[in-house]
Amino acid sequence: MTAPPAEGRRSRTRQALLAAAEDLFAQHPIDAVAIDDIVRAAKVAKGTFYNHFTDRDDLVRTLLIAIRGRIEATVDAVNAGVEDPARRVVRGVCAYVRYALDEPRNTRILLRALTPTGATVSRLNKGVLDDLSAGLAVGRFSLATTEAGLLLLMGVSQVAMARAIEDGAVALPIAQQLCGMMLKGMGVAAEEAERLAAQAADEIIRRPV
């Protein structure tokens, strides 16, 4: 079955707006891109924009949800069958770095739009918050709060991703070092933290030649 013509046109227009926004946000700071710029690049009338999004922030949220959703699906895959919270969080960070290497354009958009505001209530952070809570419950982590752990993890992920798109050659060693520091900051013993970080970086960031 095919979609009705009107529905098909609506879908194509929405995708054109999202694609135009992706191109512009990858090249410019998000605040510097106006709705006029987006509709001009998408070759649609300005009024059409509001048939799909309430405002520019709504479009940005839609893009971010799509990007984060793809990364979180990868995180779920690399953590399938992994129960140790320490291994899960470090493997999650490495999955984000791997994404940065594979998708630098969308990573730039993500980094420009990410903010710690509302991080603890975002449904996209539920998985890592569950891991942090589990780690605290069993004494794997020694953190004041799960929010503190989340902000630490977000900071490490963002810095590692930024360095990955600047210079892919340093992505693995930088991620490994930062992940080791992160685990130690969460209370994991130094030797184990370094081992887990090295293992995760090697398995997830390094690709077979």
Side-chain angles (χ1 to χ4, degrees):
M1 294 180 65
T2 58
E7 185 178 330
R9 285 195 300 273
R10 179 178 175 82
S11 177
R12 288 192 296 273
T13 300
R14 180 180 177 87
Q15 291 306 312
L17 288 166
L18 288 169
E22 278 191 20
D23 287 338
L24 291 168
F25 292 154
Q27 299 173 52
H28 310 286
I30 289 176
D31 288 344
V33 178
I35 291 176
D36 286 340
D37 300 320
I38 297 170
V39 297
R40 188 181 304 116
K43 296 181 172 58
V44 303
K46 186 172 183 178
T48 303
F49 178 93
Y50 297 101
N51 293 331
H52 300 273
F53 307 101
T54 56
D55 53 25
R56 190 194 60 179
D57 289 343
D58 183 28
L59 184 150
V60 172
R61 282 191 297 271
T62 300
L63 277 179
L64 289 181
I65 288 171
I67 294 170
R68 285 286 310 277
R70 290 194 287 271
I71 305 175
E72 288 300 318
T74 301
V75 172
D76 289 343
V78 302
N79 277 335
V82 178
E83 296 186 1
D84 174 28
R87 287 189 66 206
R88 288 180 63 84
V89 297
V90 79
R91 289 172 68 83
V93 171
C94 289
Y96 269 72
V97 176
R98 183 67 253 176
Y99 180 86
L101 292 170
D102 294 337
E103 300 287 346
R105 186 183 74 156
N106 282 348
T107 298
R108 290 188 181 92
I109 298 171
L110 185 65
L111 292 175
R112 286 172 174 162
L114 278 178
T115 170
T117 303
T120 55
V121 296
S122 171
R123 64 179 178 84
L124 291 170
N125 290 328
K126 182 181 184 304
V128 69
L129 285 169
D130 287 346
D131 290 335
L132 292 169
S133 296
L136 283 170
V138 299
R140 195 72 167 106
F141 300 141
S142 56
L143 296 164
T145 63
T146 54
E147 181 179 10
L150 176 61
L151 294 177
L152 173 60
L153 188 146
M154 288 178 64
V156 167
S157 298
Q158 289 177 44
V159 170
M161 292 174 81
R163 287 295 286 125
I165 61 175
E166 287 174 359
D167 183 358
V170 304
L172 190 149
I174 288 292
Q176 179 178 330
Q177 293 169 31
L178 289 174
C179 284
M181 294 168 62
M182 179 187 74
L183 287 180
K184 285 182 277 189
M186 291 179 172
V188 178
E191 184 177 346
E192 184 184 13
E194 297 293 349
R195 177 175 58 79
L196 292 177
Q199 183 182 49
D202 186 68
E203 292 179 357
I204 298 169
I205 299 174
R206 190 189 304 277
R207 286 278 176 88
V209 178

